[in-house]
Amino acid sequence: MADLETFRSETRTWLEANCPEEMRQPVRDEEDVYWGGRNAKFKSEAQKSWFEACVAKGYTVPAWPKAYGGAGLEPAEAKILREEMARINARPPLSSFGIWMLGPALLKFGTEEQKVHYLGEIARGEIRWCQGYSEPGSGSDLVSMQTFGEDKGDHWVVNGQKIWTSYADEADWIFCLVRTDKADKYQGITFMLFDMATPGVSTKPILLISGNSPFCETFFDDVKVPKEQHVGEINRGWDVAKYLLGHEREMISGAGGGDRTSAIGVAMLRQAAKEGGDLDPMLRAELAMFDIDALAYGAMGEKFLDEIKVGKAHPAQPNMMKYVGTELNKRRHELMMSAGGSRSLEWDSEETSGGKPSRGWLRTKANSIEGGTSEVMLNVIAKRILDLPGA
Amino acid sequence: MADLETFRSETRTWLEANCPEEMRQPVRDEEDVYWGGRNAKFKSEAQKSWFEACVAKGYTVPAWPKAYGGAGLEPAEAKILREEMARINARPPLSSFGIWMLGPALLKFGTEEQKVHYLGEIARGEIRWCQGYSEPGSGSDLVSMQTFGEDKGDHWVVNGQKIWTSYADEADWIFCLVRTDKADKYQGITFMLFDMATPGVSTKPILLISGNSPFCETFFDDVKVPKEQHVGEINRGWDVAKYLLGHEREMISGAGGGDRTSAIGVAMLRQAAKEGGDLDPMLRAELAMFDIDALAYGAMGEKFLDEIKVGKAHPAQPNMMKYVGTELNKRRHELMMSAGGSRSLEWDSEETSGGKPSRGWLRTKANSIEGGTSEVMLNVIAKRILDLPGA
Amino acid sequence: MPLYYDDDQTMLADSASQFMAEEGAIKTQLRHWRDTGCKDGFGHELWKQFGEMGFTGILVSEDDGGLGMGHVEAGIVLEEIGRNLTPSPFLTSSVLAATALGRASDDLRGRYLPGLLTGESVFAVAIDEGAKHRPERIATRAEKSGNGFKLSGKKDFVIHGASADMIIVAARTSGSDDDAEGVTLFAVPRDAAGLSQDAVKLVDSSIATHMVLDGVELDGGAVIGEVDGGREILERMLNAGRIGAAAEGVGVARGAMDMTVDYLKQRKQFGKLIGEFQALQHRAAHLYSEVEISRAAVIKAQQLLDADAPSAALMVSVAKAKVGQTAGLAVREGVQMHGGIGMTDEYDIGLYMKRDRALQEFLGDVYYHAERVAQISGY
Amino acid sequence: MPLYYDDDQTMLADSASQFMAEEGAIKTQLRHWRDTGCKDGFGHELWKQFGEMGFTGILVSEDDGGLGMGHVEAGIVLEEIGRNLTPSPFLTSSVLAATALGRASDDLRGRYLPGLLTGESVFAVAIDEGAKHRPERIATRAEKSGNGFKLSGKKDFVIHGASADMIIVAARTSGSDDDAEGVTLFAVPRDAAGLSQDAVKLVDSSIATHMVLDGVELDGGAVIGEVDGGREILERMLNAGRIGAAAEGVGVARGAMDMTVDYLKQRKQFGKLIGEFQALQHRAAHLYSEVEISRAAVIKAQQLLDADAPSAALMVSVAKAKVGQTAGLAVREGVQMHGGIGMTDEYDIGLYMKRDRALQEFLGDVYYHAERVAQISGY
């Protein structure tokens, strides 16, 4: 315990010295996020210096081993770092699907060589990754995917199409599910890694209802992928994918706290007061009912993380967290839109920073679709937790 | 129109002369209801004289033809009678499954002889009927019923068991679904009528969670039923049953108005005020949301009845009405319990007339089960109205 | 009066349905004006066609050259507008403004109604002051000035304000902000000196304005009804607009539901049509029920308004709130059941979600009308 | 502190679970006392067994002979009580009264705690005045009388009041009914002159009383804590009772859910187990999620109470409200999914529905605590 207190005070001192004032404010828009990668540009000196200080310290990926670019922090230390960063509102130095998605998969399934190579690149923000899972005909039924890699001895030739590849148009590399055996649905998929600059890869952004285009359609036309570029065994990529899906669901659920688990009633009252108004009594009642659910879910998130740490959580529990967390977040934004009234309807006004409330509200509608729909989550809970008979 | 106005004033005069003051009060408990039948006893002189006046006028079944004991009223006239009775809070002179259930089936499927005989008995309150549909293994899946009638030439010998037979222990006759052909699921059921005094018929009341026992289990042990005692063709009883189910759903839905479609907010405020209290702001909000749904459903009930009259309602619409009406009624009683607070929890106190709030609340839980569960209603809407593919 | 359409109403529904599906379709109207960045957010040609069809004058008396019909008929047109997301100034001009102008002087009626009937003119109403609908509180002041008035204040959420030839403004001629009495309605020409508007595009691609009245001078003839006696006309106008918005909301809900039910019959996952999954069937069936009930509530309220029944105000709020909940459910279920593609701009279901949101807010949302239901009911 | 049970707590949960399933089962306790028309509604023998197990003293300090544990531990016992619908005076005696007595004089502790520990004594609390929980308003008066007090007023919903050896009564020693200050708690012996109780059976077969205090004379030693300073102890006691009721509610919800999920795996209709129907699967999965979350909220609130954290009051109300909604859902889904037999007295699911209803109401229902969440949060 004494060690942890020392760690806390050292961390506080380090943050004080290394996190510029400008980096101690909530992220306001996409511009404020640093994604890294070959073509990355820093938005400001402060962003750059904060990023570089973190890379040097291993704090872009604090819990990863030092050998792979991390700081090798124990869970308790990592928690303290999170708390101390939250205390001063420090922005994440680096956002990356490499950190959130590929990293955990490599840590579990990668070879030592892969870990040193790819994890290091990720930790240093050198390569920006995207994820190739869904296909137009394979949404909830992911395993029905068709993108095919033909075996050519020392390489595959990949043909097919992916959809919902986040920022594929800005990514350097992709981790991608490719069918390598048409005869076996589950054990015929390989988890491949390849460069988006490989000839035959093309992307097309998808315009969303929010007016943004964070996702792409990604096309593979005779793309050559060297045989060594896969994670886990050949034809056993579904195991990696399933593991990552669980991880993704946990992430989307917002179980880690933050916005998605917090009450909003008081903030809505303040906002109404700023416009010179008050809360409708009926809206106030809805906000209270929401806050109850949000605070209870916050407790569940804490409990879930505590249980995961000691292996007490049911392996299918991330599905429950994802289901509830995303439904809750949609409801949160519905209520925020109601509380915001006609002002929140504005699509590109300066007062709304370019329609932040309405675009944010629309964005949340994807929460219960991406990473497994709410319906799929409920199916999984029914079967794997409640052990209800197969339909 | 002038005729209708004349009818209204005549009706008013007749009611004034024939409906005793004591019969112009809401029904308070089961005692206040007159069910007729061989063993019926009147609770009071007033109940008797009101019943007899109605029988003489054909007003126990005002819309049935005069030949069958009714008053032969046109729909518009029947509506006026209902309105005028409601105006003075007149109690129904006779309650009877013969009127509500068997009567409509006989009017549609019965022979002339059956109509004259059975409808007349019903109209005059001579025979009390009960319904034998469900069996322990056949609830939602009614057509899987097993009670079997063996063909013995001029009669059947019926063996089996029914459940949820309302007031079977007090009924004189039963209308009952009996399998007469094991080879054909749908076209192997006969709609039979027989005397509950027939040897081999026995009943056992079912104690409900409300503490009441309006239903029985009914057992048939070699019960002899003469061959002429069936409605519709032999083996075509399912048509009669389906018709009656539609009718029953309409009835349970509360589409005809009354309690089930009315707002409750103001009544709850008054009740709270009587206890010296006020409505919780949050409960008030829930009451408002409920009142919105109740008043909207009331409009739908009106629309539905208007459309039925001119044949514009979708034939599956009673299922929708039943689904929404019963769910709404359950919610109403939940809110009434909340508004009533600890007082409404009392099970047999004088102040609650023997636990009326709590027993009434528990009773409503059957609404969405009896006459077809909410789940079955939703299945039917999905298939027959929305034309969704069969699962 | 039975709660289904009579023969004339059925005919009107048929022609409105056909007209809106052909002329008011999403692709040619909403998407077209949105994607070309139209400053009005709707097409004036289509608006004139509304005039040719007679729709513009449904609530205008026959004496004034209109059809002299009622809210049921206006609702028929609005439901089809909702189904097709047809952008037009019908609700603000032919429902809200027309209702107020029906109580206006011969002079005002003569000045404004002919243009409305032909679809040459567009009208707007300026009620809200702030981000929420609170018409009980009116702070905009109209002070006596010569034989006229001078208006000062701010208004928000003035739909079509920038496109309107005339805007009906609710202002206070006496009393304090929260008084029921002392309100007067004014017909303010678009080019009135001191009137400025700041147009903003809304989530549904309609255009609203924030309006500033900086000593706008009007002569006495601009008063609609009596000075200080505007509350009754305002209530009448608001109720007409609310039930109109509710009728349009029913159309939005039906449009979203129909599109979604169709999709359930086409999309396959796990080797089945997704419409075969019982969980989705039950949700669709529940939605259907809610839509039918909402529609009944709207027609009931329209009939009560047309009959000038005392219970009309209650039922209008019931209907606006009920439709708000139902249409919200319809678009949420719509997007969710469409899955990923429901999130794309390419598919129309998201447009229903956007329109619903703006319509929910207009003239009072679910919460506002729930409060009103409680208050009118006496609790 | 992690939000799962440590080893000691797990051991306690195991023994409470086994004890309640064996000794506190529905058939031998709830149904037995109900069907024999017991005037207490629970069995004194079982209550003494609670004492032997040490449960009665969980919240009693070690100095006073108890286990000196916290609300997490009390909740462990209560959750098992809820699962088995075990009738007992645990909540009123070992949670509510024990919490208040913990702040009482040596004399009062010495007089009452030994009997509690052995399960010889039963305690009740008299808070509500009227049909709803409104502890902010206390009209019962305690006037100075000699070196003691004279209490007059009415109390309702005094659970186990008629069976209690001592009842803790909240009364006003100064100020007006709605004042926060001026409240004093009294330990009133059952046989105090002027105290009368009218026992009523409730829907869950528990027995409560309407109590009249007609000049009940008590000496100064009956005061718990300080005169006029009872509000803080009252709050502490209420929060202990609320989170206790919430923990029991989680047990009720889990019991009802488990029974229902089992039934889904047994009952066939349309040639399938009903648990194969996706619509029911989704509803069961949703219910599971709500139960888990409610349980997390309860444990969180218990830990905060045990740590005497300032945010405990908020989280207690969150938990009580959340559990109220979840347990309500669990019993409604339970009865509905059981179909017709769920309506019969023969099956236990209806007993869960009845117990839930009484527990919901006790110490504030969903609406009361939602209001409290808003107020504590500052809106």
Side-chain angles (χ1 to χ4, degrees):
Chain A
M1 290 300 273
D3 284 357
L4 288 180
E5 279 319 299
T6 311
F7 179 77
R8 189 184 294 276
S9 78
E10 283 171 6
T11 301
R12 212 173 270 199
T13 311
W14 184 86
L15 285 171
E16 206 45 63
N18 290 280
C19 187
E21 198 52 42
E22 204 185 314
M23 292 294 104
R24 301 186 191 187
Q25 293 165 37
V27 169
R28 272 176 317 247
D29 54 41
E30 191 54 27
E31 287 277 281
D32 290 343
V33 179
Y34 182 67
W35 288 95
R38 291 174 188 150
N39 306 311
K41 285 199 188 71
F42 293 104
K43 191 199 165 189
S44 66
E45 259 319 301
Q47 194 180 54
K48 182 162 183 273
S49 86
W50 172 225
F51 169 75
E52 284 170 354
C54 285
V55 169
K57 187 87 178 169
Y59 279 1
T60 54
V61 286
W64 291 7
K66 289 189 178 176
Y68 311 145
L73 298 192
E74 293 301 313
E77 294 171 328
K79 195 178 170 193
I80 288 173
L81 175 61
R82 273 199 308 277
E83 286 167 0
E84 289 302 316
M85 285 180 63
R87 205 178 53 82
I88 62 168
N89 262 325
R91 288 183 185 165
L94 176 65
S95 294
S96 140
F97 294 106
I99 298 176
W100 303 325
M101 311 290 301
L102 179 60
L106 284 170
L107 282 167
K108 188 168 171 81
F109 295 95
T111 63
E112 184 57 27
E113 202 188 329
Q114 284 176 330
K115 288 181 193 172
V116 172
H117 177 70
Y118 294 116
L119 294 178
E121 283 182 346
I122 291 169
R124 297 186 300 272
E126 291 164 2
I127 294 294
R128 184 168 178 181
W129 287 86
C130 65
Q131 179 197 54
Y133 273 31
S134 297
E135 299 183 6
S138 308
S140 289
D141 186 15
L142 187 57
V143 81
S144 70
M145 42 141 299
Q146 304 288 330
T147 292
F148 186 67
E150 201 184 340
D151 190 336
K152 296 286 190 177
D154 68 339
H155 67 275
W156 291 284
V157 171
V158 176
N159 280 285
Q161 181 191 347
K162 293 288 174 184
I163 195 168
W164 311 122
T165 31
S166 307
Y167 301 109
D169 50 343
E170 300 180 43
D172 305 312
W173 276 61
I174 187 168
F175 51 99
C176 187
L177 295 181
V178 180
R179 184 158 298 287
T180 39
D181 181 351
K182 291 187 181 178
D184 194 323
K185 202 171 170 185
Y186 288 90
Q187 302 197 3
I189 295 173
T190 301
F191 191 99
M192 294 185 190
L193 313 174
F194 52 91
D195 196 319
M196 290 292 280
T198 316
V201 177
S202 61
T203 63
K204 191 182 146 200
I206 302 169
L207 181 63
L208 294 188
I209 54 178
S210 62
N212 300 325
S213 299
F215 302 107
C216 290
E217 292 179 279
T218 302
F219 304 90
F220 307 127
D221 184 15
D222 285 340
V223 176
K224 244 174 102 171
V225 179
K227 264 292 174 64
E228 67 277 14
Q229 290 177 198
H230 60 90
V231 180
E233 287 176 48
I234 289 174
N235 286 331
R236 290 302 179 90
W238 186 242
D239 296 341
V240 186
K242 266 196 310 184
Y243 173 78
L244 265 192
L245 276 173
H247 193 79
E248 186 182 2
R249 282 165 194 175
E250 209 177 301
M251 231 172 57
I252 296 179
S253 74
D259 264 12
R260 293 208 180 167
T261 54
S262 59
I264 57 172
V266 137
M268 295 302 105
L269 174 63
R270 285 204 201 105
Q271 179 183 311
K274 231 196 304 182
E275 295 261 0
D278 203 342
L279 291 177
D280 257 316
M282 302 294 170
L283 175 58
R284 175 174 174 274
E286 286 288 310
L287 288 168
M289 293 299 180
F290 175 83
D291 281 356
I292 288 164
D293 287 340
L295 292 168
Y297 181 71
M300 182 70 220
E302 235 184 275
K303 181 161 180 283
F304 172 64
L305 294 180
D306 287 343
E307 288 178 338
I308 278 191
K309 263 183 239 150
V310 293
K312 275 176 183 259
H314 190 289
Q317 200 74 325
N319 299 282
M320 185 277 257
M321 297 304 295
K322 201 251 167 196
Y323 162 63
V324 181
T326 57
E327 295 296 334
L328 200 59
N329 201 42
K330 291 195 295 181
R331 210 172 119 210
R332 165 181 289 109
H333 281 259
E334 290 284 345
L335 287 168
M336 284 163 55
M337 286 296 285
S338 293
S342 57
R343 176 65 83 189
S344 67
L345 299 175
E346 298 179 6
W347 190 242
D348 42 22
S349 68
E350 211 175 296
E351 288 78 3
T352 59
S353 310
K356 238 186 140 178
S358 56
R359 291 168 196 261
W361 160 68
L362 288 164
R363 172 64 185 87
T364 61
K365 300 304 175 189
N367 294 163
S368 53
I369 299 169
E370 60 203 349
T373 63
S374 283
E375 290 75 16
V376 168
M377 298 303 101
L378 290 169
N379 286 342
V380 175
I381 297 168
K383 272 161 214 174
R384 291 185 50 203
I385 302 184
L386 300 180
D387 197 28
L388 287 169
Chain B
M1 291 300 274
D3 284 357
L4 288 181
E5 279 318 298
T6 310
F7 178 77
R8 188 184 293 277
S9 76
E10 283 170 7
T11 302
R12 212 171 271 199
T13 311
W14 184 85
L15 285 171
E16 206 45 60
N18 291 279
C19 187
E21 198 52 42
E22 203 185 314
M23 293 294 105
R24 300 187 192 188
Q25 293 166 37
V27 170
R28 273 175 316 247
D29 53 41
E30 191 55 28
E31 287 277 282
D32 291 343
V33 179
Y34 183 66
W35 288 95
R38 290 174 190 152
N39 307 312
K41 284 198 189 73
F42 291 105
K43 189 198 167 192
S44 65
E45 258 319 299
Q47 194 181 54
K48 181 163 184 272
S49 88
W50 172 225
F51 169 74
E52 284 169 355
C54 285
V55 170
K57 187 88 177 169
Y59 277 2
T60 54
V61 285
W64 291 7
K66 289 189 180 176
Y68 311 144
L73 298 193
E74 293 301 313
E77 293 171 328
K79 194 177 170 192
I80 287 172
L81 175 60
R82 274 198 308 275
E83 287 168 359
E84 290 301 317
M85 285 180 64
R87 205 177 54 81
I88 62 167
N89 262 324
R91 289 182 185 166
L94 175 66
S95 294
S96 140
F97 294 105
I99 297 176
W100 303 325
M101 309 292 299
L102 179 60
L106 283 171
L107 283 166
K108 189 169 170 82
F109 294 95
T111 62
E112 183 57 25
E113 201 188 329
Q114 285 177 328
K115 290 181 193 172
V116 171
H117 178 70
Y118 293 116
L119 294 178
E121 282 181 347
I122 291 169
R124 295 186 300 272
E126 291 164 2
I127 293 295
R128 184 166 177 182
W129 287 87
C130 66
Q131 181 197 53
Y133 273 29
S134 297
E135 300 182 6
S138 309
S140 289
D141 185 15
L142 187 56
V143 80
S144 69
M145 42 143 295
Q146 304 288 331
T147 292
F148 186 65
E150 201 185 340
D151 191 335
K152 296 285 190 177
D154 67 339
H155 67 275
W156 290 285
V157 171
V158 176
N159 280 285
Q161 181 190 350
K162 293 289 174 182
I163 195 168
W164 311 124
T165 30
S166 307
Y167 301 109
D169 49 344
E170 300 179 42
D172 305 311
W173 276 61
I174 187 168
F175 51 99
C176 187
L177 295 180
V178 180
R179 184 157 299 287
T180 39
D181 180 352
K182 291 186 181 179
D184 194 323
K185 202 171 169 186
Y186 289 90
Q187 301 197 3
I189 295 173
T190 300
F191 191 99
M192 294 186 191
L193 314 175
F194 52 92
D195 195 319
M196 291 291 280
T198 316
V201 177
S202 60
T203 62
K204 190 182 145 198
I206 302 168
L207 181 62
L208 294 188
I209 54 178
S210 62
N212 300 325
S213 300
F215 302 108
C216 291
E217 292 179 277
T218 301
F219 304 90
F220 306 128
D221 183 16
D222 286 340
V223 176
K224 244 175 103 171
V225 179
K227 263 292 175 64
E228 67 276 15
Q229 288 176 198
H230 60 90
V231 181
E233 287 176 47
I234 289 174
N235 287 330
R236 290 302 179 92
W238 186 242
D239 297 341
V240 185
K242 267 195 310 185
Y243 172 78
L244 266 193
L245 277 173
H247 193 79
E248 188 183 1
R249 282 166 194 175
E250 209 177 301
M251 230 171 58
I252 296 178
S253 75
D259 263 12
R260 293 208 181 166
T261 54
S262 59
I264 56 171
V266 139
M268 295 302 104
L269 174 62
R270 284 204 202 106
Q271 179 183 311
K274 232 195 306 181
E275 296 261 1
D278 204 341
L279 292 178
D280 257 315
M282 302 296 168
L283 175 58
R284 176 175 173 272
E286 286 289 308
L287 288 168
M289 293 299 180
F290 175 82
D291 282 356
I292 288 164
D293 287 340
L295 293 168
Y297 181 71
M300 182 69 219
E302 237 185 274
K303 181 161 180 283
F304 171 63
L305 294 180
D306 287 343
E307 287 179 339
I308 278 192
K309 263 184 239 149
V310 293
K312 274 176 183 259
H314 190 289
Q317 201 73 327
N319 298 284
M320 184 278 256
M321 297 303 296
K322 201 250 167 196
Y323 163 62
V324 181
T326 57
E327 295 295 334
L328 199 59
N329 200 42
K330 290 194 296 180
R331 210 172 120 212
R332 164 181 290 109
H333 281 260
E334 289 285 344
L335 288 168
M336 284 163 54
M337 286 297 285
S338 293
S342 56
R343 174 67 84 189
S344 66
L345 299 175
E346 298 179 5
W347 190 242
D348 42 22
S349 69
E350 210 174 298
E351 288 79 2
T352 59
S353 310
K356 240 187 137 177
S358 56
R359 291 169 195 260
W361 161 68
L362 288 164
R363 173 62 185 88
T364 61
K365 300 304 176 190
N367 295 162
S368 53
I369 299 169
E370 60 203 348
T373 63
S374 283
E375 291 76 16
V376 168
M377 298 303 100
L378 291 168
N379 285 343
V380 175
I381 297 167
K383 273 160 214 175
R384 291 184 50 203
I385 301 185
L386 300 180
D387 198 27
L388 287 169
Chain C
M1 203 178 311
L3 279 162
Y4 51 80
Y5 294 156
D6 64 24
D7 290 346
D8 287 349
Q9 290 164 341
T10 304
M11 269 178 56
L12 176 63
D14 288 345
S15 79
S17 164
Q18 197 188 341
F19 173 82
M20 231 57 79
E22 283 172 9
E23 306 299 330
I26 293 177
K27 197 179 150 81
T28 51
Q29 293 293 331
L30 176 59
R31 284 190 183 273
H32 175 72
W33 299 117
R34 181 191 77 164
D35 296 343
T36 56
C38 169
K39 69 165 184 42
D40 294 313
F42 65 87
H44 286 278
E45 279 315 306
L46 184 75
W47 183 228
K48 282 176 200 147
Q49 283 177 276
F50 270 66
E52 285 158 24
M53 296 292 292
F55 297 156
T56 49
I58 283 179
L59 289 176
V60 175
S61 72
E62 287 180 279
D63 287 351
D64 286 325
L67 298 179
M69 291 172 167
H71 293 96
V72 175
E73 288 79 8
I76 286 170
V77 173
L78 280 158
E79 189 172 328
E80 296 305 325
I81 286 176
R83 282 168 91 113
N84 295 282
L85 303 180
T86 312
S88 87
F90 183 82
L91 184 55
T92 60
S93 309
S94 295
V95 177
L96 282 152
T99 299
L101 287 172
R103 299 306 198 85
S105 63
D106 290 353
D107 182 47
L108 284 178
R109 294 209 314 286
R111 196 183 315 167
Y112 290 117
L113 290 176
L116 171 64
L117 293 175
T118 58
E120 304 277 338
S121 302
V122 168
F123 304 141
V125 295
I127 310 296
D128 292 1
E129 301 176 354
K132 296 300 289 185
H133 183 60
R134 293 274 184 280
E136 299 77 19
R137 184 173 192 284
I138 290 180
T140 295
R141 296 268 153 187
E143 279 168 19
K144 271 273 184 203
S145 164
N147 67 345
F149 294 89
K150 204 151 102 179
L151 275 62
S152 295
K154 288 181 184 182
K155 294 283 182 180
D156 296 294
F157 204 21
V158 185
I159 298 277
H160 302 314
S163 314
D165 302 280
M166 180 273 285
I167 301 125
I168 296 180
V169 175
R172 178 160 297 290
T173 33
S174 69
S176 60
D177 295 0
D178 294 301
D179 283 0
E181 298 309 309
V183 171
T184 306
L185 296 188
F186 294 90
V188 181
R190 74 187 312 171
D191 50 6
L195 178 73
S196 62
Q197 297 190 73
D198 181 18
V200 286
K201 183 153 105 174
L202 302 186
V203 65
D204 63 340
S205 301
S206 70
I207 314 289
T209 67
H210 298 285
M211 176 183 280
V212 176
L213 299 121
D214 185 10
V216 174
E217 304 225 20
L218 298 171
D219 66 33
V223 172
I224 298 173
E226 303 293 319
V227 173
D228 280 355
R231 182 61 74 178
E232 191 260 337
I233 309 177
L234 177 60
E235 274 303 303
R236 197 172 281 270
M237 176 173 88
L238 289 176
N239 282 336
R242 286 160 179 164
I243 202 61
E248 186 174 343
V250 168
V252 170
R254 291 182 89 180
M257 176 174 75
D258 291 348
M259 179 171 289
T260 304
V261 169
D262 281 351
Y263 187 72
L264 294 181
K265 295 174 187 172
Q266 290 162 21
R267 169 77 170 175
K268 279 197 169 186
Q269 285 284 275
F270 305 103
K272 279 189 194 180
L273 291 170
I274 59 174
E276 289 181 61
F277 288 101
Q278 197 198 27
L280 297 191
Q281 290 190 340
H282 280 198
R283 280 159 53 185
H286 174 72
L287 174 58
Y288 165 83
S289 308
E290 292 294 287
V291 171
E292 285 292 294
I293 290 166
S294 301
R295 198 158 172 270
V298 168
I299 298 177
K300 180 76 191 173
Q302 290 164 339
Q303 289 189 355
L304 290 171
L305 270 185
D306 284 335
D308 223 349
S311 58
L314 173 62
M315 204 62 200
V316 165
S317 280
V318 165
K320 180 76 164 77
K322 180 75 190 173
V323 171
Q325 294 196 310
T326 298
L329 180 69
V331 298
R332 289 194 303 273
E333 287 287 46
V335 168
Q336 178 69 21
M337 290 187 189
H338 274 78
I341 61 154
M343 290 299 298
T344 66
D345 187 70
E346 188 186 342
Y347 277 73
D348 290 340
I349 189 71
L351 299 174
Y352 282 91
M353 179 170 270
K354 293 173 174 181
R355 178 63 185 149
D356 169 57
R357 178 43 78 182
L359 212 44
Q360 294 256 1
E361 196 60 43
F362 190 53
L363 304 178
D365 64 4
V366 173
Y367 307 110
Y368 175 81
H369 286 288
E371 177 65 26
R372 204 155 167 262
V373 165
Q375 287 189 8
I376 296 176
S377 302
Y379 62 96
Chain D
M1 202 179 309
L3 279 162
Y4 50 81
Y5 295 156
D6 63 25
D7 290 346
D8 287 349
Q9 290 164 340
T10 304
M11 268 179 55
L12 176 63
D14 288 345
S15 78
S17 163
Q18 197 188 340
F19 173 81
M20 232 56 80
E22 283 171 10
E23 307 298 330
I26 292 177
K27 197 178 148 82
T28 51
Q29 293 293 331
L30 176 59
R31 284 190 183 273
H32 175 72
W33 300 118
R34 181 191 75 163
D35 296 343
T36 55
C38 170
K39 69 166 185 39
D40 293 313
F42 64 87
H44 286 279
E45 278 314 306
L46 184 75
W47 184 226
K48 283 176 200 147
Q49 283 177 277
F50 269 64
E52 286 158 25
M53 296 292 292
F55 297 158
T56 48
I58 283 179
L59 290 176
V60 176
S61 72
E62 288 179 280
D63 286 351
D64 286 323
L67 299 179
M69 291 174 166
H71 293 95
V72 175
E73 288 78 9
I76 285 171
V77 174
L78 280 158
E79 190 172 327
E80 296 306 324
I81 286 176
R83 281 169 91 116
N84 294 283
L85 304 180
T86 311
S88 87
F90 183 82
L91 184 55
T92 59
S93 310
S94 294
V95 177
L96 283 152
T99 299
L101 287 173
R103 298 305 196 88
S105 63
D106 290 352
D107 181 47
L108 284 178
R109 294 209 314 287
R111 196 182 318 166
Y112 291 117
L113 290 177
L116 171 64
L117 293 175
T118 58
E120 305 277 337
S121 302
V122 169
F123 304 141
V125 296
I127 310 296
D128 293 359
E129 302 175 354
K132 297 298 289 185
H133 183 60
R134 294 274 183 280
E136 299 77 18
R137 185 173 190 283
I138 291 180
T140 295
R141 296 269 153 186
E143 280 168 19
K144 271 272 182 202
S145 165
N147 68 344
F149 295 87
K150 204 151 101 179
L151 273 64
S152 295
K154 288 180 185 183
K155 293 284 181 179
D156 297 294
F157 203 23
V158 185
I159 298 276
H160 302 314
S163 315
D165 302 280
M166 179 272 286
I167 301 127
I168 296 180
V169 175
R172 179 159 296 290
T173 33
S174 69
S176 60
D177 296 0
D178 294 300
D179 283 0
E181 298 309 308
V183 171
T184 305
L185 296 188
F186 294 91
V188 180
R190 74 186 313 171
D191 49 8
L195 177 74
S196 62
Q197 297 191 74
D198 181 19
V200 286
K201 184 153 104 172
L202 302 186
V203 65
D204 64 339
S205 301
S206 69
I207 314 288
T209 68
H210 298 285
M211 176 184 281
V212 177
L213 299 122
D214 185 10
V216 174
E217 304 224 22
L218 299 171
D219 66 34
V223 171
I224 299 175
E226 303 294 319
V227 173
D228 279 356
R231 181 63 73 179
E232 192 259 337
I233 309 177
L234 177 60
E235 275 303 303
R236 197 173 279 272
M237 176 173 88
L238 288 177
N239 282 337
R242 285 161 180 163
I243 203 61
E248 186 175 343
V250 168
V252 170
R254 291 182 90 181
M257 177 175 75
D258 290 349
M259 180 170 288
T260 304
V261 169
D262 281 350
Y263 187 71
L264 293 180
K265 295 174 186 172
Q266 289 162 21
R267 168 78 170 174
K268 279 198 168 185
Q269 287 282 275
F270 304 104
K272 280 188 192 179
L273 290 170
I274 60 174
E276 289 181 60
F277 288 101
Q278 198 197 29
L280 296 191
Q281 290 191 338
H282 280 198
R283 281 159 52 185
H286 172 73
L287 173 59
Y288 165 82
S289 309
E290 293 293 287
V291 171
E292 285 293 293
I293 289 166
S294 301
R295 200 158 171 269
V298 168
I299 298 177
K300 181 75 191 174
Q302 289 164 341
Q303 289 189 354
L304 291 171
L305 270 185
D306 284 335
D308 223 349
S311 57
L314 173 63
M315 205 61 200
V316 165
S317 280
V318 165
K320 180 77 164 75
K322 179 75 191 173
V323 171
Q325 293 196 312
T326 298
L329 180 69
V331 298
R332 289 194 303 273
E333 287 288 46
V335 168
Q336 178 69 20
M337 290 187 189
H338 273 78
I341 61 152
M343 291 297 299
T344 65
D345 186 69
E346 188 186 342
Y347 278 74
D348 289 340
I349 188 70
L351 299 174
Y352 283 91
M353 178 171 271
K354 293 173 175 182
R355 178 62 185 150
D356 169 56
R357 178 42 81 181
L359 212 44
Q360 294 255 0
E361 196 60 43
F362 190 53
L363 303 179
D365 64 5
V366 173
Y367 306 110
Y368 175 82
H369 287 288
E371 176 65 26
R372 205 154 166 263
V373 165
Q375 287 188 9
I376 296 176
S377 302
Y379 62 96

